[in-house]
Amino acid sequence: NEGNAYFREKDYRRAVIAYSEGLRKRCQDPELNAVLHTNRAAAQFHLGNYRSALNDAIQAKKLKPTHLKAIIRGALCHMELKNFSEAIAWCEEGLQIDPKEKKLLEMRGKADKLKLGFSFLLPLQERDIKLIFEPSNEEEEISDGLAEISLDGFHSDNAMRAKVHLDADGNLNWPVLFLYPEHEQTDFIAAFHENSRFIDHLMVMFAELPPWDLERKYLPSSLELYFEDEERAEMYKVNPEHTLLQVLQHQRYFVKAGTPTVLAFVEHSPFSKKYFSGKKVHRL
């Protein structure tokens, strides 16, 4: 009761001490001990001591395997510790007891998404590819740290519902968007292999002139590609002989919403001269 009073006052350190004193009494009632461990886990959780909180949740579950509060707390701890597979297992265990438990259903979905995200983060980190994440509103009991690695934006469906994926050889294939500002047109490649060159795609895309190119000037040999550094409002010219991976590894390239984007202009056209007027342009 003393621990509960401290907990309500948000004095979590004293709550931990009180619950610990209760456990030292070595009561023979396993249900009461399960509650003490669960409550101490909650207090430790609020202090950011996720490993200690998880240990208490494990002890509570041993004492009372159907104790949903302990299972929810343990799953939350695994989420904070980024043990997403374990979090999923705890959620499934709890859902066997109560298939409609809202917190477990929501957490199960988030854990699935974050587990998938982490499987992609490693190859991205290995390649030094930088992402811009969309903000996400995580569950109140999950710390802001997880929001930073939420991949809502990274995996968001684009117009063609394509997503970056690893192929059987461990190579990344990206959805890539080409923008043609002069005509307000776009092209979309659903799976651009990271080791493919831009010129190879341009040769295929413009093997036939697009219907909107009435002046017949959009030829692979006459196109210039750029990416924009939005933070600095600067443009970088892309060498068409470069691969997608070479461009994505540039120190100022940031992949937004999971879809790399490049802009295409006709070389020395009046529109491109006007577009770049007053802009700082870097050549790769």
Side-chain angles (χ1 to χ4, degrees), residues 45 50 75-83 141-143 146:
F45 185 93
Y50 305 124
L76 283 167
C77 290
H78 278 302
M79 291 288 283
E80 291 291 348
L81 294 167
K82 299 178 176 59
N83 303 329
E141 287 197 281
I142 300 176
S143 74
L146 278 181

Side-chain angles (χ1 to χ4, degrees), residues 32-49:
L32 179 56
N33 285 332
V35 171
L36 284 166
H37 276 293
T38 302
N39 289 3
R40 188 169 69 176
Q44 293 279 27
F45 185 93
H46 283 287
L47 291 170
N49 301 330

Side-chain angles (χ1 to χ4, degrees), residues 127-140:
R127 290 163 171 78
D128 195 26
I129 296 174
K130 297 163 285 296
L131 305 176
I132 295 178
F133 296 116
E134 298 295 322
S136 64
N137 297 318
E138 291 298 323
E139 183 175 334
E140 187 176 326

Side-chain angles (χ1 to χ4, degrees), residues 176-181 185 187 192 198 202 205 224-228 235-236 238 244 247-248 253 259-265:
V176 176
L177 186 64
F178 286 77
L179 305 178
Y180 310 106
Q185 297 289 331
D187 267 326
F192 193 133
F198 279 90
L202 291 176
M205 292 157 61
E224 291 183 331
L225 301 179
Y226 294 82
F227 72 81
E228 187 171 5
M235 305 291 293
Y236 287 81
V238 174
L244 175 60
V247 174
L248 296 184
Y253 198 99
T259 305
T261 302
V262 292
L263 295 88
F265 302 87

Side-chain angles (χ1 to χ4, degrees), residues 62-238:
K62 284 180 180 177
L63 291 163
K64 187 181 178 184
T66 60
H67 193 25
L68 266 181
K69 283 189 177 181
I71 293 172
I72 292 170
R73 186 60 56 189
L76 283 167
C77 290
H78 278 302
M79 291 288 283
E80 291 291 348
L81 294 167
K82 299 178 176 59
N83 303 329
F84 301 120
S85 294
E86 289 84 351
I88 290 168
W90 278 62
C91 287
E92 289 179 344
E93 190 175 344
L95 289 169
Q96 287 180 0
I97 299 165
D98 183 356
K100 296 181 180 179
E101 171 53 54
K102 187 179 177 182
K103 280 190 176 181
L104 290 174
L105 288 169
E106 289 177 355
M107 210 183 324
R108 175 71 167 79
K110 288 176 183 175
D112 270 331
K113 181 174 64 179
L114 292 169
K115 180 183 176 184
L116 175 64
F118 264 66
S119 70
F120 279 105
L121 280 180
L122 182 59
L124 292 175
Q125 289 169 347
E126 289 173 345
R127 290 163 171 78
D128 195 26
I129 296 174
K130 297 163 285 296
L131 305 176
I132 295 178
F133 296 116
E134 298 295 322
S136 64
N137 297 318
E138 291 298 323
E139 183 175 334
E140 187 176 326
E141 287 197 281
I142 300 176
S143 74
D144 292 339
L146 278 181
E148 294 173 10
I149 54 89
S150 171
L151 297 182
D152 283 347
F154 179 50
H155 286 291
S156 63
D157 290 349
N158 44 45
M160 301 293 289
R161 301 187 68 80
K163 298 176 182 178
V164 61
H165 64 274
L166 281 167
D167 62 23
D169 297 320
N171 297 306
L172 288 172
N173 292 263
W174 293 86
V176 176
L177 186 64
F178 286 77
L179 305 178
Y180 310 106
E182 182 175 3
H183 294 277
E184 297 182 349
Q185 297 289 331
T186 63
D187 267 326
F188 184 80
I189 298 175
F192 193 133
H193 192 286
E194 63 182 347
N195 293 323
S196 293
R197 301 181 306 167
F198 279 90
I199 187 62
D200 297 328
H201 282 282
L202 291 176
M203 294 294 288
V204 173
M205 292 157 61
F206 291 95
E208 295 182 7
L209 291 173
W212 44 263
D213 181 20
L214 301 178
E215 297 179 33
R216 305 178 66 79
K217 58 185 181 179
Y218 275 71
L219 304 170
S221 58
S222 64
L223 292 179
E224 291 183 331
L225 301 179
Y226 294 82
F227 72 81
E228 187 171 5
D229 182 346
E230 294 183 8
E231 183 182 337
R232 297 181 180 177
E234 297 175 356
M235 305 291 293
Y236 287 81
K237 187 177 180 181
V238 174

